[in-house]
Amino acid sequence: MSDDVQLYLGDCLEILPTLAAGSVDAVVTDPPYSSGGQFRGDRAKSTVNKYVTAQFVNRSEFSGDNLDQRVFMVWSSWWLTAARYLCTDGSVLCVFSDWRQIPALTDAIQVGGWVWRNIATWWKPGCRMIKGRFSSSAEYILYATNGAHELNGEATVQNVFLCPTLIGNNKDHIAEKPLDVMKWILSITPPACTILDPFMGSGTTGVACVQTGRNFIGIEIDPKYYAIAEKRIKEAQLQIRMEM
């Protein structure tokens, strides 16, 4: 790609140990939640069946979303440990979760050697409301640091952010996050730093890095999504060059 973007196709548990220690300033990522169902049979369903409600929308499957909670915590602690070894002191970790996996993921963060600091909330307006229940209109970002808290972020940031979800043909991945959400998260990291995303998906974190002047290291296990991410990031780089 270029010196400021490095993309890898493969399993992050295999690729992370090959990267240079001290090469990463922040980890910003959206791993599979493995929470789409109450029972084992529910979790074993395809991600399309679990998460796509509009059946006329075509979406590709993504892997790694069928673990039970104990295995999810162990697996998460593996990649979180491997990612931290690459990070500079004080590096930031921001990892997405839904409400069901917050206990397991916060445990895994601490097992991985990170210091758990806070939870930020992405508030998604327009979700279906059900009388007598709280809405499921939020996803969460678990925030931690590699050791002491370095106060060198780009901005002072509220830990609640209002942004609609992507719908229909406006997204390439079932779990794709809006670009504005990723830019909100990146604003707590230093300018011109290097961001690692071990679960790159369709590349939104990489696009946000390109557009905000940050370096990016992305890893994706699925060749289809890797190709989509590579294309989107190249297009973002081209747009930046045209505007210069």
Side-chain angles (χ1 to χ4, degrees):
M1 296 286 293
S2 64
D3 291 341
D4 54 348
V5 173
Q6 302 173 48
L7 303 183
Y8 298 89
L9 174 60
D11 188 330
C12 70
L13 289 175
E14 297 176 357
I15 293 172
L16 289 172
T18 70
L19 304 181
S23 60
V24 172
D25 301 304
V27 179
V28 178
T29 193
D30 181 20
Y33 295 170
S34 286
S35 62
Q38 184 175 1
F39 304 107
R40 179 178 177 85
D42 299 329
R43 291 191 298 271
K45 292 179 180 178
S46 74
T47 53
V48 170
N49 289 335
K50 286 190 286 188
Y51 302 124
V52 178
T53 56
Q55 296 305 313
F56 57 87
V57 177
N58 184 26
R59 291 282 178 264
S60 296
E61 299 287 342
F62 64 90
S63 62
D65 196 72
N66 56 359
L67 307 178
D68 65 35
Q69 193 169 61
R70 288 185 300 176
V71 176
F72 174 80
M73 194 195 82
V74 173
W75 171 76
S76 296
S77 68
W78 288 345
W79 72 258
L80 284 160
T81 299
R84 189 179 66 82
Y85 283 142
L86 304 177
C87 290
T88 55
D89 292 341
S91 289
V92 167
L93 167 73
C94 291
V95 54
F96 279 88
S97 177
D98 75 345
W99 65 270
R100 285 165 287 203
Q101 293 291 35
I102 288 176
L105 194 52
T106 53
D107 286 348
I109 285 170
Q110 294 170 89
V111 169
W114 299 88
V115 181
W116 179 30
R117 298 286 182 181
N118 202 344
I119 295 178
T121 301
W122 168 32
W123 175 23
K124 306 180 290 187
C127 291
R128 183 167 65 96
M129 305 294 290
I130 302 175
K131 188 175 181 179
R133 299 183 187 179
F134 287 112
S135 66
S136 297
S137 56
E139 291 182 53
Y140 305 94
I141 298 92
L142 307 186
Y143 168 49
T145 59
N146 182 25
H149 199 168
E150 297 290 338
L151 300 178
N152 57 1
E154 187 175 51
T156 302
V157 187
Q158 290 283 356
N159 72 331
V160 177
F161 187 73
L162 175 65
C163 182
T165 58
L166 298 173
I167 60 174
N169 293 323
N170 292 324
K171 62 181 182 179
D172 297 297
H173 192 288
I174 296 171
E176 185 175 326
K177 302 301 186 282
L179 188 58
D180 285 346
V181 170
M182 302 316 298
K183 288 182 177 179
W184 162 61
I185 295 171
L186 290 180
S187 65
I188 70 165
T189 67
C193 69
T194 298
I195 307 293
L196 168 67
D197 186 350
F199 306 95
M200 179 172 60
S202 57
T204 304
T205 306
V207 173
C209 285
V210 170
Q211 292 186 356
T212 60
R214 288 165 170 80
N215 303 320
F216 179 66
I217 302 172
I219 304 171
E220 173 54 39
I221 196 170
D222 188 309
K224 290 182 181 178
Y225 285 124
Y226 177 90
I228 292 171
E230 184 178 42
K231 180 176 182 292
R232 292 182 68 206
I233 292 169
K234 283 182 177 178
E235 289 173 349
Q237 290 177 311
L238 178 60
Q239 185 64 37
I240 293 294
R241 289 195 293 268
M242 292 174 61
E243 294 173 356
M244 293 177 63

